[in-house]
Amino acid sequence: MEAIQVDESVRGQAEILQHISAYVTSMALKCAVDLRIADIIHSHGGGPITLSQIASAITGSSCLNVSYLARIMRLLVYKNIFTAHHPSDGGETLYGLTSSSKWILWDSKPSLAPYLVLQNEQSTIASLLCLSQCVKDGGLGFDKVHGCKIWEFTSANPEFNKLFNDAMSSSADILMGVFLPAYKDGFSGIRSLVDVGGGIGTTLSEIVKSHPHIRGINFDLPHVIATAPFNERVTHIGGDMLEAVPTGDAILLKAVLHIWTDEVCIKILSNCRKAIPEDSGKIIILDVVLELQDNNIFEESRIALDLGMMMFTGGKERTEAEWKNVLKKGGFPRYRITKLAAKESIIEAFPK
Ligand SMILES: C[S@@+](CC[C@H](N)C(=O)[O-])C[C@H]1O[C@@H](n2cnc3c(N)ncnc32)[C@H](O)[C@@H]1O
């Protein structure tokens, strides 16, 4: 077919149409994750396999709609999530994995599957649908939809609590893969490390595994600690970081400060400063540092995450200048940022 010439205006129209349909791609991706399509292909040695083979491996259906499945796969192939090979003899199309598909596997780590499920969950989407209402009236989308704060909601809903904690653990798995090799020397001299807002302790378990001289203290809300798996090298403590945090040689804050406003961050940082030695102590923050340049492959997801924080918890993603400001006011005048091949960076901050 001959390509038609388009002017800037038509290009603009096409771009807006792409943005409008971006959520459909996200839903198709969620469908692939729900039906474990990448795992099915992976379990056949990575494929490629036919749609009939994929269909026969999908469990829990007595009347699977294969033509729906074919159309969903067409979109995901178009978006390079899967490959499609059309045999020249007219045989069935064969579907294979791409470098993206490995990130939506359930049966292999690290994986974005649990994070994708949380992001495409009804209550998450409903919160983001409140953006314009919140711009006009203030408040948080999550609170408007659920009538309570997110941590009250996770506490009252074990299912959502699990969804949330699994998503956080999966993102911890991913980050540890790049953080631990980059931060080998950073743990020397640290005998006790407190993970403030450490969830169910996934991050700390990985750290103590690769640094056996460290004693881990995982600190989070009591209802989260109640579901944390046992680890003989990690002590789990329930409490409220706005009140006080356990003492240690150093404190880790992974994806924690971005859930709070500047004012609350400063309070938490002050509590952290009281809990570490004045001379040798440090905090290790693993969080987004916004660069606001489009040449970083993670930047779009960082800026989008900022809107998520705005609607879910009232937090924000920060530029280096914004980090410098909260760190200084929280009692950490000196800091050092190390960039990683990840959405997050390492920010070490020192009381002196
Ligand atoms: C975004 S999650 C990050 C979890 C973990 N650091 C990770 O990256 O996998 C924020 C964590 O802070 C915890 N949290 C929220 N408010 C808290 C409070 N007041 N005191 C202690 N923990 C709190 C939540 O339960 C949640 O586990």
Side-chain angles (χ1 to χ4, degrees):
M1 236 194 302
E2 206 178 307
I4 51 154
Q5 298 294 318
V6 291
D7 62 18
E8 273 307 297
S9 163
V10 176
R11 207 176 295 282
Q13 180 200 148
E15 279 175 13
I16 294 294
L17 283 170
Q18 272 175 23
H19 295 314
I20 291 171
S21 62
Y23 87 97
V24 181
T25 305
S26 210
M27 290 302 130
L29 204 50
K30 177 181 179 314
C31 168
V33 165
D34 288 345
L35 301 179
R36 309 178 79 96
I37 292 174
D39 292 280
I40 291 170
I41 301 174
H42 192 236
S43 67
H44 280 76
I49 59 172
T50 64
L51 200 64
S52 330
Q53 286 175 295
I54 296 173
S56 63
I58 292 173
T59 53
S61 167
S62 53
C63 54
L64 197 92
N65 191 321
V66 179
S67 77
Y68 278 4
L69 189 60
R71 287 152 68 187
I72 290 163
M73 288 304 279
R74 179 168 62 187
L75 175 59
L76 294 174
V77 167
Y78 187 80
K79 298 301 285 184
N80 290 321
I81 311 296
F82 296 105
T83 59
H85 171 68
H86 308 285
S88 52
D89 63 2
E92 273 193 76
T93 303
L94 295 164
Y95 296 93
L97 301 176
T98 67
S99 57
S100 300
S101 333
K102 83 164 204 175
W103 292 99
I104 55 163
L105 289 168
W106 285 106
D107 294 339
S108 166
K109 283 183 177 181
S111 171
L112 281 166
Y115 183 71
L116 188 149
V117 171
L118 176 71
Q119 289 298 328
N120 285 332
E121 209 266 333
Q122 241 167 18
S123 61
T124 312
I125 293 168
S127 307
L128 282 164
L129 285 172
C130 295
L131 272 172
S132 54
Q133 194 194 342
C134 292
V135 169
K136 287 197 267 184
D137 310 339
L140 308 187
F142 194 96
D143 301 7
K144 286 191 199 298
V145 170
H146 299 286
C148 66
K149 297 271 166 217
I150 188 166
W151 311 121
E152 290 159 5
F153 190 76
T154 54
S155 173
N157 292 274
E159 233 175 81
F160 185 80
N161 189 36
K162 179 163 173 11
L163 215 61
F164 184 88
N165 292 331
D166 287 350
M168 291 307 115
S169 291
S170 71
S171 70
D173 287 335
I174 295 169
L175 184 56
M176 287 305 106
V178 285
F179 166 68
L180 288 173
Y183 201 65
K184 275 196 208 100
D185 300 334
F187 290 113
S188 61
I190 297 178
R191 288 152 305 146
S192 56
L193 178 67
V194 185
D195 191 355
V196 169
I200 56 170
T202 310
T203 308
L204 211 43
S205 302
E206 289 301 311
I207 293 174
V208 297
K209 206 193 293 170
S210 52
H211 296 275
H213 67 280
I214 295 179
R215 186 172 59 87
I217 299 134
N218 183 49
F219 180 70
D220 208 292
L221 293 168
H223 72 268
V224 177
I225 291 300
T227 67
F230 173 77
N231 181 325
E232 60 184 4
R233 310 256 303 285
V234 174
T235 307
H236 294 291
I237 300 181
D240 181 354
M241 65 171 92
L242 306 183
E243 301 290 325
V245 304
T247 57
D249 292 334
I251 284 176
L252 182 72
L253 292 144
K254 178 188 164 293
V256 164
L257 294 177
H258 80 153
I259 68 174
W260 303 106
T261 60
D262 284 355
E263 200 185 5
V264 178
C265 268
I266 292 164
K267 171 83 186 127
I268 294 164
L269 287 165
S270 311
N271 289 345
C272 290
R273 190 182 155 140
K274 284 181 215 146
I276 54 170
E278 176 86 18
D279 291 331
S280 59
K282 69 172 168 184
I283 57 171
I284 306 157
I285 300 168
L286 292 172
D287 234 325
V288 164
V289 179
L290 285 176
E291 294 173 30
L292 303 176
Q293 286 164 5
D294 59 12
N295 60 359
N296 187 300
I297 50 170
F298 291 104
E299 202 60 15
E300 185 174 334
S301 57
R302 291 170 180 158
I303 298 170
L305 186 61
D306 178 58
L307 300 197
M309 291 304 113
M310 193 164 90
M311 287 298 98
F312 305 147
T313 64
K316 64 195 271 201
E317 303 305 338
R318 296 178 169 85
T319 61
E320 179 173 348
E322 290 169 325
W323 276 115
K324 186 175 178 179
N325 176 47
V326 288
L327 285 168
K328 192 166 175 219
K329 291 187 176 150
F332 293 89
R334 190 162 67 86
Y335 72 91
R336 179 167 57 212
I337 294 180
T338 307
K339 289 185 186 174
L340 296 169
K343 195 162 81 287
E344 303 85 350
S345 294
I346 308 171
I347 310 169
E348 290 171 286
F350 309 88
K352 279 190 174 169

